[in-house]
Amino acid sequence: MSESTLDMPLPNLAPSGSESNQSGWAEERNFDEFDYTPVSPWGPVALVLGLGSLTGLTNSVFGLGLALIGVIIGITAVIRIRATGGAYKGTGFAVTGAILSAVCLVAGSAKLSYAYEHEVPEGYLRVNFPKQISAHQFVYPQGRRRLHPDVAPLVGQKLFLKGYMWQTQKAEGLESFVFLKDNGECCFGGSPQPYDMMVVHMADGKTTRAYSGMVAVSGILNADVTAKEGDPVYTVDADIVEEAQTSF
């Protein structure tokens, strides 16, 4: 092969219109590259909180807490996303989450307030077991056990109390059960103090089922300060035992 042959320019093998196609591909790649708009994580977070706040409609204080956080996060998300000038999207998620949270917060709060105002049966006095009874431990004037002066007037009264069942032996047909101020002993063991517990006896041959959550007891409070070690000081003759409508 001669040097003149090697020096000859190579023919252009590219198909007709290839330059314009290559230019078009580049433009398409550039268009795709700059057309993509990422979704801000704030939007989905606000939406998830809005969905979680639906539990607030079941008289759940935790659900109302989620709803309040959801409103704050949702509004913040909308502001942050719009402040990017279109660099991020997700405003729809944020707005939906904020609206859901706001609706659940308002409706759930109203529903919870109504339940609290109407959960006490007529003729009964609402008494906070932990604060108004358990916190006032027994007093011992001259070495003898007596009820605290703030608790003594409650004996013989028709009270509405909330607490937890402890170590029930069956699920249905309970004629009596141990009633605790909180679920600490229920869940983590231990032996409750006599001022932290009551024995509830169902009145008039009634029975109740066992509840794992908070229980509302309506009945007459009795007390025997002469009870021996291990015997209950407080007892309740209960007319009504049911799952508590509110947790406070």
Side-chain angles (χ1 to χ4, degrees):
M1 183 179 294
S2 64
E3 291 184 2
S4 59
T5 304
L6 293 175
D7 292 336
M8 292 178 62
L10 294 175
N12 184 5
L13 301 179
S16 175
S18 62
E19 291 184 1
S20 59
N21 287 341
Q22 289 176 358
S23 175
W25 293 339
E27 290 177 0
E28 184 177 352
R29 285 197 300 270
N30 292 336
F31 175 80
D32 290 340
E33 180 180 354
F34 293 102
D35 184 59
Y36 172 71
T37 304
V39 176
S40 170
W42 286 88
V45 168
L47 180 59
V48 170
L49 288 172
L51 294 174
S53 67
L54 291 172
T55 58
L57 299 178
T58 62
N59 291 344
S60 168
V61 176
F62 176 75
L64 293 180
L66 279 182
L68 178 59
I69 296 173
V71 170
I72 297 173
I73 295 297
I75 294 174
T76 303
V78 173
I79 295 174
R80 283 179 174 266
I81 294 172
R82 288 183 175 177
T84 63
Y88 287 91
K89 59 184 178 180
T91 305
F93 292 147
V95 170
T96 302
I99 293 175
L100 270 176
S101 296
V103 170
C104 291
L105 180 61
V106 174
S109 298
K111 187 171 181 289
L112 189 63
S113 298
Y114 180 86
Y116 182 80
E117 291 295 329
H118 294 81
E119 66 180 349
V120 181
E122 185 177 355
Y124 289 85
L125 173 66
R126 181 194 298 274
V127 171
N128 188 298
F129 186 1
K131 294 181 179 179
Q132 294 179 259
I133 296 179
S134 179
H136 300 300
Q137 302 179 13
F138 305 123
V139 295
Y140 294 86
Q142 299 178 351
R144 294 184 177 183
R145 180 168 58 187
R146 293 289 185 268
L147 298 180
H148 191 280
D150 292 340
V151 178
L154 300 176
V155 175
Q157 301 295 318
K158 298 175 69 174
L159 305 183
F160 175 82
L161 305 161
K162 291 182 183 178
Y164 295 83
M165 291 182 172
W166 188 46
Q167 297 181 350
T168 56
Q169 300 300 316
K170 53 184 180 180
E172 300 286 345
L174 295 174
E175 298 178 353
S176 63
F177 58 90
V178 177
F179 187 55
L180 301 180
K181 68 168 186 175
D182 56 38
N183 61 353
E185 289 84 1
C186 296
C187 300
F188 305 109
S191 179
Q193 297 297 322
Y195 43 77
D196 292 336
M197 59 181 289
M198 302 175 180
V199 173
V200 176
H201 301 287
M202 299 301 299
D204 301 326
K206 298 177 182 178
T207 61
T208 183
R209 53 161 293 194
Y211 295 95
S212 58
M214 180 172 277
V215 178
V217 173
S218 302
I220 298 176
L221 177 66
N222 305 299
D224 180 9
V225 293
T226 64
K228 298 179 180 179
E229 186 71 25
D231 292 338
V233 173
Y234 294 117
T235 60
V236 178
D237 295 328
D239 297 311
I240 305 172
V241 175
E242 59 188 0
E243 187 174 10
Q245 298 182 40
T246 63
S247 58
F248 54 91

